[in-house]
Amino acid sequence: MIAKRVIFEGRVQGVGFRYTTKDLARGFEVVGWVKNLPDGTVEMQAMGEKEELEDFLKEITEESAVSHHIQTVRTEAIPLLEGVRGFSIEK
């Protein structure tokens, strides 16, 4: 089990990015959340088995309907998320 913090940069706010990400999460065994940041980026924290999480990220960045809005993806390992169930959109 691993957890990652991902920052998506580009035209990722106002295009349904968070909703698409939440919808895609249903197809993977991952938990976490996604939210808009004040600087125009989107932050996601997600946890799952390594391969499952990598496939989820690949789906978002390469195959989703919003992938063309992403210019840069910054990813870092973080401690496992505690008490997180499901995948949500945070305010």
Side-chain angles (χ1 to χ4, degrees):
M1 190 75 72
I2 63 168
K4 291 189 177 192
R5 177 178 186 254
V6 185
I7 301 293
F8 299 97
E9 297 175 348
R11 195 170 141 239
V12 292
Q13 290 191 13
V15 296
F17 192 91
R18 293 172 301 155
Y19 297 96
T20 299
T21 301
K22 181 180 178 185
D23 191 50
L24 290 173
R26 289 186 214 159
F28 295 90
E29 291 185 23
V30 296
V31 298
W33 51 264
V34 62
K35 71 176 180 179
N36 287 340
L37 296 179
D39 65 0
T41 63
V42 171
E43 176 184 7
M44 178 179 77
Q45 290 192 17
M47 179 174 73
E49 294 300 329
K50 184 177 189 293
E51 188 173 311
E52 194 77 1
L53 191 53
E54 288 173 356
D55 288 347
F56 175 48
L57 287 172
K58 182 178 179 182
E59 181 82 16
I60 296 167
T61 60
E62 297 178 19
E63 301 167 15
S64 74
V66 294
S67 63
H68 64 282
H69 292 294
I70 303 168
Q71 291 179 342
T72 308
V73 179
R74 291 184 283 135
T75 306
E76 65 178 308
I78 59 172
L80 296 181
L81 306 176
E82 294 197 20
V84 177
R85 299 178 78 175
F87 197 92
S88 63
I89 295 172
E90 299 288 309
K91 299 267 178 188

